[in-house]
Amino acid sequence: MRITVAESAGFCFGVSRAVDTVEKTARQGGQVVTLGPIIHNRHVVQKFQDLGVAVIDSPEQAQPGMTVIIRSHGVAKGVLETLHRHQVTVIDATCPFVKRIHDIVSKAEENGRLPVIIGTPSHPEVEGIAGWCGDCRIFESPEQLEKWALSGEISLDTAISMVSQTTSTENLWKKCCEIAKKLFTNLKIYDTICRATEFRQGEAAKLSRSCQAMVVVGDPHSSNTGRLAMICREHCEKVALVDNASQLNAAFFSGVTDVGITAGASTPAWIIKEVTKTMSEITNIEAVQEENFDALLEQSLKTLNTGDKVLGTVVGIGNTEVQVELGTKHAGYIPYDEVSSDPSVKPEDILHIGDEIEVFVVRVNDQEGTVQLSKKKLDGIKVWDDMAAWAEEKTTVEGTITEENKGGLVASVKGIRVFIPASQSGIAKGGDMAGMVGQNVQLKITEVNRARRRVIGSIRAVNAEERKANREKIWAEIEEGKKYQGVVKSMTSYGAFVDIGGVDGMVHVSELSWNRIKNPAEVVKVGDEIEVFVISFDADKKKISLGYKTAEMNPWNQFMTNYNVGDVVDAKIVKLMTFGAFAEIIPGVDGLIHISQIADKRIGKPEDVLAEGQDVQVKITDVDAENKRISLSIRALLAPEAEEVVEETEEVVEAE
């Protein structure tokens, strides 16, 4: 048989705090009493009676000089007033979550709103909540709530403030909220279920689905324990609710191979330990998840101090704070503004119910049993530790540029402000640093001064490291003809220098274009991204000769691909000679129009008809591919009729 004990079994922090309060007060001597049983567990109550702590049932029973302890369920405001009139010392051990509900209903009434409580009317906690407002309504089920709303007893536009008993089930609360939202037009809902309780119930549901039998340990009169048993029965056929180990029946577990154990919030650790031990004995096995309950009990009584770093479990995410179970008598909470240093981050995006987190103790209030925590502060402390380590180890980190100033740039790295001097920005002098704002960058931390909260970083150091690695790779793999994407870095009269990823190569002016150019600026400019190829290289001297013009860019090849003999094309007269005129068909490719092909009549010289720069239409009459010569004709485009008329006119003249 396998036995699994729920991790959340036993005292919640509210109960643990109340029990601890009674024990400490009893040791101090004097007549100590509790108003009602301190918790719903007869064994704990008996233990305190053995220590001399009595139980009174009403405030009227309190005698002057007594120390009266209020249990975790809390009491009505009037009860506290009565106790003070009896001249007793009052120690309030009300659960902080319950106290919060007292404040909600009290303020609601002050603001003219009607408090509505979802819970069991006879439960001490609910009775106490109701005692903090003059008028309220209490409902045990969504059906009761709906019936009241539709009865006509109250207007649906009445201002309603709705709260829940802390130990209510999430399912019941959600159904009530759905009905209230549909019916009431002026409604405020406060989610006051204790998330530790919700977590415990969720764990019980999960465990009961995977086990053949469940043992729920706790006082049968405890609401918390009763709900656990009810939840377990929804998923498991065999559920035993036992007050202590003596109620276990070996026959109940016949044929069972998996047993789960959970316990109510009012069940002390020693009873759970006793039940687990007895289960192991009657099944002749050892529990696979038996907890060291003595250690857990000791942990629940430990003290917290401002500045401590502690581990906790997220048990609730409310509207203004995150509730954290610390395993102590304190109710831990993280205000929303202490969750993250990034104001755009929502708590529910980074935290979830059941998450184990490390937090920083900001403030401890032993009187109220609360402790304010901060995830942001601890994250900040860790980041400063990381910063120092990154600087020492020269680690590359990622940051976001948030602003530019006259001295350089500012980056945010894990929420810490990092200054990047202009000389370390990786931007050339006079370059556009403002364009970096908003970009994610890689940088190195070069200096950390925690006392002055000053951090300096360098983008340039990362770039230099990358360039070094790229240089080594390029020289290891370089070969003639290999192509690279490069950036034009600078130019001279004889060529352009191109960065191919950490190494500069030179493209001679003759390798930039197939056309004759006087200056590299006619083809490229600094900053251009171009594709180049290796013509030659000298690894020893670290020199690379690059080419830019390719066969595909050769104008003659372009002409041969796109033009044929017989095509009529537009051309421009670029040079006049005694024997004809040269016309540019495409940049870099000229053809000759022989003097006999310029006009339909004899001319003395080409400039009689043509001028340099003139646009003409010509016909390609011949192509000498071997010698790269092209013959062109304007005359071939003249109309045949015009030629016949000229010939006839000439014949008549000759006859005369």
Side-chain angles (χ1 to χ4, degrees), residues 258-278:
D258 283 284
V259 176
I261 298 178
T262 187
S266 300
T267 307
W270 59 270
I271 290 183
I272 305 173
K273 180 179 180 181
E274 192 177 74
V275 168
T276 306
K277 182 180 179 182
T278 302

Side-chain angles (χ1 to χ4, degrees), residues 293-329:
F293 291 106
D294 290 335
L296 287 176
L297 184 58
E298 182 180 347
Q299 180 186 19
S300 72
L301 301 177
K302 72 180 181 182
T303 58
L304 294 174
N305 299 294
T306 299
D308 284 351
K309 298 175 186 177
V310 295
L311 280 174
T313 302
V314 176
V315 294
I317 300 177
N319 296 323
T320 59
E321 63 189 38
V322 176
Q323 298 158 9
V324 180
E325 166 66 77
L326 299 173
T328 71
K329 63 181 180 178

